[in-house]
């Protein structure tokens, strides 16, 4: 592996809704740039926002570092500066894995249940990543039939996602925040290992302040509840105060 100090950014490989991925001079390492842009509703609502990339880059770097310390292997290598990270190159499995502790969002809409109904145990769901199809709900059998993931991979993904949920709940509890739900993605490394990838940030989680009951996540943007970046900064400030997350 190339020394981290010798890594150079090369070509833009992929531009998503919130991040750009660049190749580097090491085939197993990617350069991620967090953009100052926020989107919702499959990109239909899109706004440039200064400082948004930085808060997400810092929040995700802290969380992935903590998860690795807790035995959850992931793609994160290093935060380079405010908006840039190095990560292990993986082949992303085109699934959004969602874990829910309380009913919200698409679950609430699909089943018509009370907002924030608390689940006795976490609910795991999968969505097939496809902008054209609007990320449809998918189950293990469909995923296997479509050759999106094997049965073993689906079981492993569920197991890791639940471990992530356990640790995230602990972290957010120390910040006086309830973790309603979150989305994670997984990928396979060049040697075939399945690891956690993408990002964990207020773009991909629903978080509620225990005292004020206010959203501290992208729902602020989705629902037009006010300025987003100050909310993300507030969350980052609280995360930085959690003693064992450093
Ligand atoms: P829902 O299925 O209720 O819309 O979303 C469940 C959770 O997954 C929420 O925390 C939401 O923010 C996250 N999520 C769902 N789809 C996406 C997506 O395309 N991008 C990101 N960043 N998060 C998502």
């Amino acid at each position: 592996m190339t020394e981290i100090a010798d890594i150079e950014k090369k070509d833009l490989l992929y531009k998503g809704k919130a991040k750009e991925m660049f190749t580097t001079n090491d085939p197993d390492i990617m350069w991620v740039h967090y953009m100052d842009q926020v989107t919702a509703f499959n990109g239909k609502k899109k706004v440039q926002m200064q400082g948004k990339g930085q808060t997400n880059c810092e929040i995700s770097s802290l969380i992935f570092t903590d998860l690795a310390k807790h035995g959850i292997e992931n793609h994160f290598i290093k935060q380079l500066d405010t908006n840039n990270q190095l990560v292990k190159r993986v082949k992303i499995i085109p699934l959004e894995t969602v874990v829910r502790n309380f009913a919200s969002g698409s679950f609430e809409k699909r089943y018509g249940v009370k907002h924030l109904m608390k689940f006795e145990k976490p609910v795991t769901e999968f969505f097939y990543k496809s902008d054209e199809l609007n990320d449809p709900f998918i189950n293990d059998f469909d995923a296997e039939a479509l050759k999106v993931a094997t049965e073993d991979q689906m079981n492993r993904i569920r197991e890791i996602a639940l471990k992530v949920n356990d640790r995230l709940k602990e972290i957010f509890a120390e910040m006086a925040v309830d973790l309603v739900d979150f989305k994670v993605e997984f990928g396979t490394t060049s040697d075939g290992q399945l690891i956690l990838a993408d990002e964990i940030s207020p773009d991909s989680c629903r978080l509620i302040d225990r005292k004020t009951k206010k959203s501290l996540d992208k729902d602020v943007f989705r629902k037009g509840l006010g300025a987003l970046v100050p909310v993300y900064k507030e969350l980052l400030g609280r995360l930085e105060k959690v003693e064992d997350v450093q």
Side-chain angles (χ1 to χ4, degrees):
M1 199 171 91
T2 318
E3 288 290 325
I4 295 302
D6 298 329
I7 293 288
E8 289 163 25
K9 186 162 101 173
K10 296 277 186 196
D11 306 316
L12 178 67
L13 186 72
Y14 171 77
K15 187 171 171 142
K17 298 187 192 97
K19 299 188 292 294
E20 292 169 326
M21 309 284 296
F22 296 85
T23 57
T24 68
N25 50 333
D26 185 319
D28 285 327
I29 296 182
M30 298 290 290
W31 182 297
V32 189
H33 175 246
Y34 284 70
M35 294 186 284
D36 279 339
Q37 176 172 294
V38 59
T39 70
F41 313 117
N42 200 4
K44 286 185 200 88
K45 188 173 176 184
K46 179 158 125 184
V47 174
Q48 303 303 312
M49 259 178 216
Q50 215 198 339
K52 189 258 181 185
Q54 176 174 354
T55 47
N56 272 11
C57 182
E58 288 180 353
I59 290 169
S60 201
S61 297
L62 284 169
I63 291 179
F64 273 90
T65 304
D66 178 87
L67 292 177
K69 275 196 275 174
H70 285 79
I72 299 167
E73 288 192 54
N74 61 67
H75 74 157
F76 179 75
I77 299 174
K78 191 182 185 330
Q79 184 176 351
L80 296 170
D81 55 34
T82 54
N83 288 58
N84 295 284
Q85 295 175 336
L86 295 180
V87 300
K88 287 183 202 162
R89 186 171 187 156
V90 294
K91 188 168 185 292
I92 288 284
I93 295 176
L95 287 177
E96 296 191 340
T97 302
V98 169
V99 181
R100 305 180 189 272
N101 298 302
F102 300 85
S104 189
S106 68
F107 184 100
E108 183 185 336
K109 206 165 147 198
R110 192 177 331 125
Y111 299 114
V113 290
K114 194 169 168 281
H115 183 56
L116 300 184
M117 178 182 93
K118 193 173 192 311
F119 299 129
E120 275 175 32
K121 58 178 199 176
V123 172
T124 316
E125 291 176 350
F126 300 102
F127 296 86
Y128 182 39
K129 265 171 76 82
S130 161
D131 284 342
E132 305 88 82
L133 301 174
N134 228 347
D135 298 346
F137 195 83
I138 185 173
N139 71 23
D140 293 46
F141 299 97
D142 301 341
E144 225 186 304
L146 294 170
K147 303 223 179 298
V148 164
T150 65
E151 188 181 349
D152 275 358
Q153 284 176 327
M154 295 303 282
N155 290 335
R156 187 85 188 106
I157 286 173
R158 194 179 276 107
E159 190 186 324
I160 302 171
L162 290 172
K163 276 193 191 151
V164 172
N165 185 47
D166 287 341
R167 180 57 192 153
L168 290 183
K169 277 198 297 188
E170 277 175 12
I171 296 173
F172 288 122
E174 292 203 39
M175 296 160 60
V177 167
D178 276 324
L179 174 62
V180 174
D181 56 31
F182 65 94
K183 181 266 304 183
V184 276
E185 295 184 23
F186 292 83
T188 48
T189 58
S190 56
D191 53 6
Q193 197 193 358
L194 179 87
I195 57 172
L196 179 67
D198 195 47
E199 69 177 283
I200 297 181
S201 73
D203 269 13
S204 56
C205 300
R206 282 200 180 91
L207 302 160
I208 308 262
D209 184 293
R210 284 189 176 168
K211 213 152 114 201
T212 65
K213 306 292 175 205
K214 285 198 173 143
S215 289
L216 299 172
D217 59 71
K218 202 161 84 173
D219 270 358
V220 171
F221 175 72
R222 290 189 189 100
K223 298 180 182 171
L225 299 176
L228 189 68
V229 175
V231 171
Y232 281 21
K233 281 193 176 155
E234 159 74 23
L235 193 77
L236 173 61
R238 290 197 208 179
L239 182 62
E240 284 170 335
K241 287 198 196 96
V242 178
E243 232 170 64
D244 51 344
V245 178
Q246 296 313 326

